[in-house]
Every structure is written in C-alpha cells, then in structure tokens.
C-alpha cells in the first residue's frame, strides 16, 4: 500500500504529540513528593520565635523547644527555618515582631513569656501560636480554659500550683528572725502580678510582713534592692522578666547588705539566688516543642491541646550564694536536694 507524503507527515506529527504528552507526565515541574515518613512534609517549615528579653530561663525554654523539633527530625536549613527575634523588653517591639511574623506567613509561632504571647495572640489569628514561660494564660487572655484553649493559641505555663507557697514556707521556717520579706517586681507584667499575689497571700498566712520594692524597668532594680536594707530579712524575686534580666544586680546588692535572696526558678538559683522550688525551663520548652510536633505532623489544632504545666517541683540550693548572703544551709536542707540541684 502506498501513502502520500502528506499522510506520512500526519502520522509522524500525531506520534510526536503522543510522545510529548507522555513525557510531560513524567517531568511535571510542580511539587514532587519525597516519600517522607511520619507525616513530615517536603515543604520547609517556617517557625517564628519571639522572646520578651534574653535571660537564662527563657533561653533554656527556647533551647528545649528547638531540641524537641530536632529530635522529631526537623533540621534547620533543610526542613526547618527558624526566625528568632528578641523584643528587648519593649512591648512595641513585641507587637512589631508578631505583625512581621503574620505578614511572613509563618507556619507556627512560639511566644516566650507573657507580653510576647499577648502580642502574638493579638496580631496573628490564622496560624497556630504556642506560648511557654507564661504564668497565668487565662488571666493574660490567651486561652478560654486550661483544658480547652478554644482558639489558635495554647502552650505551657511555668507556675506549678505549689511552687510559691512551698518557697514561702521554706523562707518562713529557715531565715533567722524572719519578720518581713521584700519583693522586687514590675507588677505591670501580668505574670508578675500573679506571682506577687500568691507570695503575699502565702506570707500573710505565715504571719510574715511584705515590703514591696516596685520597678518599671531594669535600670531601677539596683535602687529598689538597696531600699530594702534594714527593712526585711529576706528578698524574693518572682518570675518577673524585668527583674530577672537584672538578677546579677540584685545578687550583688544582697551580698553587700547580707540579705538572702530567694527566686522563682531553678535557673536563677544557678545565677546566684539562694533557693527555689522549681523545674528545668529546658524541659518546659521541650514539652512545648512536642506540642508543636502534634500540630505540624499530626494536624492537631491548638484549640484542642490543653495547656501543660511543669511535671516536677524540686528544691534547688546555691551554697556559694547562701554563704555570700548570710544564709545558713543545714544538713536537713542538703538532704532534701537532689545532687543536680545543689550548686556551689
């Protein structure tokens, strides 16, 4: 059978069209699945971290959070992009940071401490927000309830229900001739207000007076501490970012005037506080990181993830600080402290 040149050309053209179509299916320029397991997407996850100030407890919470992600298989620069921003204690900075995170369309935001968590909740409505190192998430307006947060915000709180009352009992029982405790605090912070109220209530029940030394910023901490000389037999520094960021100043003055300083967290004991009933902020951050994994890998919603609290509460002691500040550590105290919580 003979074919005309035109018929042959038509057959060849049709064959080329078919081949081209088949090849296109195998070379699609769209996203290609990488076969990742355990729910891991091939997309690089973008996480924004906002922190009110840098001090050891908050830094440890951040480190624990990042470690949890790493342990779950997220690798910075490959499957994970972290944008860390420090608000430097400025509320307007905190607002600007979270507004930028919203415009950058971060996949998830971690807010460390109450002021940054409040800024994130106000400015980010359609992405999951996790908080850590927040004392009173309900009072701060972050969640509707502990069990059912109800919106796009949940996380971990840093106030064990018994921590402050146990520490106040320790102070009342062990500080010689105790009559009054000085509290240095910026009660403009929601978390601080709750800390101070619980301390005042506990000390009142124990028959111990409270002398407040209010501060508005870290530059006022030295003068506030000095003002307590001759008025109190012990100092309490609550979970207050303004004061804890200037803790070295408190410790220096306390050593000069020989007034033992008690603190709200174990990291501050490491940094010169005499004692605390607390936990590791690294562990708190790690727990928050595990919540992030539930959201990112398993598709869970913050509204359905209950707020978590520290699981442990242990006495921590700094022997060098105690000696420097005129506090006698007894054998019974040492016996109560785990070796890893005894600092020298």
């Amino acid at each position: 059978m003979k074919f005309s040149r035109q018929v042959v050309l038509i057959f060849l053209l049709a064959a080329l069209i078919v081949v081209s179509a088949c090849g296109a299916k195998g070379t699609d320029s769209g996203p290609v699945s990488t076969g990742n397991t355990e729910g891991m997407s091939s997309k690089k996850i973008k996480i924004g971290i906002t922190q009110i100030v840098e001090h050891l407890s908050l830094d440890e919470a951040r480190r624990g959070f990042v470690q949890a992600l790493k342990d779950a298989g997220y690798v910075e620069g490959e499957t994970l992009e972290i944008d860390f921003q420090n608000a430097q204690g400025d509320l307007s900075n905190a607002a600007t940071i979270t507004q930028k995170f919203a415009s950058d369309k971060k996949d998830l935001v971690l807010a460390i401490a109450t002021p940054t968590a409040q800024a994130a909740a106000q400015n980010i409505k359609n992405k999951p927000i996790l908080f850590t190192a927040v004392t009173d998430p309900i009072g701060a307006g972050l969640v509707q309830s502990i069990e059912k947060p109800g919106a796009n915000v949940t996380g971990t709180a840093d106030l064990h229900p018994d921590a402050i009352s146990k520490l106040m009992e320790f102070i009342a029982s062990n500080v010689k001739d105790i009559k009054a405790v000085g509290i240095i605090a910026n009660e403009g912070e929601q978390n601080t207000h709750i800390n101070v109220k619980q301390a005042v209530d506990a000390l009142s029940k124990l028959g111990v007076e409270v002398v407040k030394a209010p501060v508005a910023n870290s530059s006022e901490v030295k003068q506030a501490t000095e003002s307590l000389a001759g008025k109190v037999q012990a100092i309490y520094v609550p979970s207050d970012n303004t004061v804890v960021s200037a803790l070295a100043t408190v410790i220096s003055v306390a050593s000069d005037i020989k007034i033992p300083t008690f603190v709200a967290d174990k990291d501050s004991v490491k940094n010169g506080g005499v004692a605390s009933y607390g936990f590791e902020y690294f562990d708190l951050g790690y727990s928050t990181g595990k919540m992030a994994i539930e959201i990112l890998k398993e598709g869970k919603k913050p509204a359905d993830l209950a707020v978590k609290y520290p699981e442990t509460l242990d006495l921590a002691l700094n022997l060098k600080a105690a000696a420097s500040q005129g506090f006698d550590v007894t054998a019974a105290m040492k016996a109560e402290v785990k070796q890893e919580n005894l600092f020298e």
Side-chain angles (χ1 to χ4, degrees), residues 7-344:
V7 172
V8 172
L9 288 174
I10 289 171
F11 278 133
L12 289 172
L13 181 59
L16 286 172
I17 291 172
V18 171
V19 171
S20 177
C22 292
K25 290 180 181 178
T27 59
D28 185 1
S29 60
V32 179
S33 171
T34 60
N36 291 330
T37 61
E38 299 184 5
M40 183 84 77
S41 169
S42 59
K43 168 191 169 185
K44 183 183 289 187
I45 296 296
K46 297 192 297 181
I47 292 181
I49 300 179
T50 174
Q51 186 170 313
I52 188 62
V53 291
E54 289 192 81
H55 63 65
L56 183 57
S57 295
L58 303 188
D59 294 344
E60 282 294 288
R62 184 179 77 246
R63 193 170 70 87
F65 177 84
V66 173
Q67 186 63 51
L69 293 174
K70 182 178 179 181
D71 290 347
Y74 290 97
V75 180
E76 277 194 78
E78 296 180 15
T79 55
L80 177 66
E81 177 184 301
I82 291 179
D83 183 357
F84 169 63
Q85 298 293 328
N86 177 11
Q88 304 289 346
D90 190 309
L91 297 183
S92 62
N93 285 348
T96 300
I97 289 166
T98 53
Q99 288 164 0
K100 181 66 163 54
F101 284 171
S103 65
D104 288 345
K105 294 182 170 57
K106 302 296 187 189
D107 295 296
L108 182 143
V109 169
L110 171 68
I112 305 177
T114 300
T116 43
Q118 290 173 316
Q122 182 177 355
N123 292 302
I124 301 169
K125 302 297 185 182
N126 60 353
K127 294 291 184 180
I129 299 169
L130 289 174
F131 58 76
T132 191
V134 167
T135 298
D136 182 18
I138 295 177
L142 297 172
V143 298
Q144 295 175 14
S145 74
I146 298 301
E147 292 300 323
K148 291 288 184 182
N152 64 319
V153 184
T154 189
T156 56
D158 65 354
L159 182 58
H160 190 288
D162 300 325
I164 293 177
S165 60
K166 284 180 71 69
L167 182 60
M168 296 307 112
E169 289 170 7
F170 181 89
I171 294 170
S173 299
N174 295 293
V175 174
K176 186 178 180 181
D177 299 325
I178 185 73
K179 293 182 178 66
V181 173
I183 300 180
I184 308 169
N186 172 13
E187 290 194 66
E189 288 190 25
Q190 172 67 23
N191 59 303
T192 302
H193 177 73
I194 296 299
N195 264 262
V196 173
K197 183 179 185 305
Q198 290 192 15
V200 170
D201 289 347
L203 288 169
S204 177
K205 291 176 182 177
L206 294 164
V208 179
E209 182 187 350
V210 170
V211 178
K212 291 186 178 182
V215 298
N217 55 64
S218 58
S219 66
E220 298 176 359
V221 169
K222 185 174 188 290
Q223 183 177 355
T225 310
E226 291 171 338
S227 74
L228 296 172
K231 299 177 183 177
V232 303
Q233 293 73 48
I235 294 171
Y236 172 55
V237 174
S239 180
D240 179 306
N241 294 303
T242 302
V243 183
V244 174
S245 65
L247 183 63
T249 299
V250 178
I251 300 306
S252 176
V253 174
S255 297
D256 289 340
I257 61 180
K258 299 302 178 187
I259 298 179
T261 296
F262 301 87
V263 290
D265 61 270
K266 192 190 299 185
D267 291 319
S268 291
V269 176
K270 296 176 187 175
N271 282 340
V274 170
S276 178
Y277 279 91
F279 54 90
E280 296 287 353
Y281 269 80
F282 178 92
D283 296 338
L284 194 71
Y286 195 93
S287 181
T288 317
K290 289 167 68 175
M291 296 175 79
I293 295 160
E294 289 185 84
I295 293 169
L296 296 171
K297 283 190 175 185
E298 301 173 25
K300 293 187 178 180
K301 305 295 184 185
D304 300 323
L305 292 175
V307 175
K308 296 183 179 180
Y309 286 94
E311 297 178 358
T312 60
L313 188 62
D314 299 316
L315 176 64
L317 276 173
N318 187 320
L319 300 181
K320 182 178 179 181
S324 175
Q325 297 167 38
F327 179 75
D328 293 328
V329 175
T330 66
M333 291 180 202
K334 290 182 180 180
E336 184 183 345
V337 181
K338 297 177 182 177
Q339 188 60 40
E340 63 268 24
N341 295 331
L342 192 64
F343 306 106
E344 300 186 63

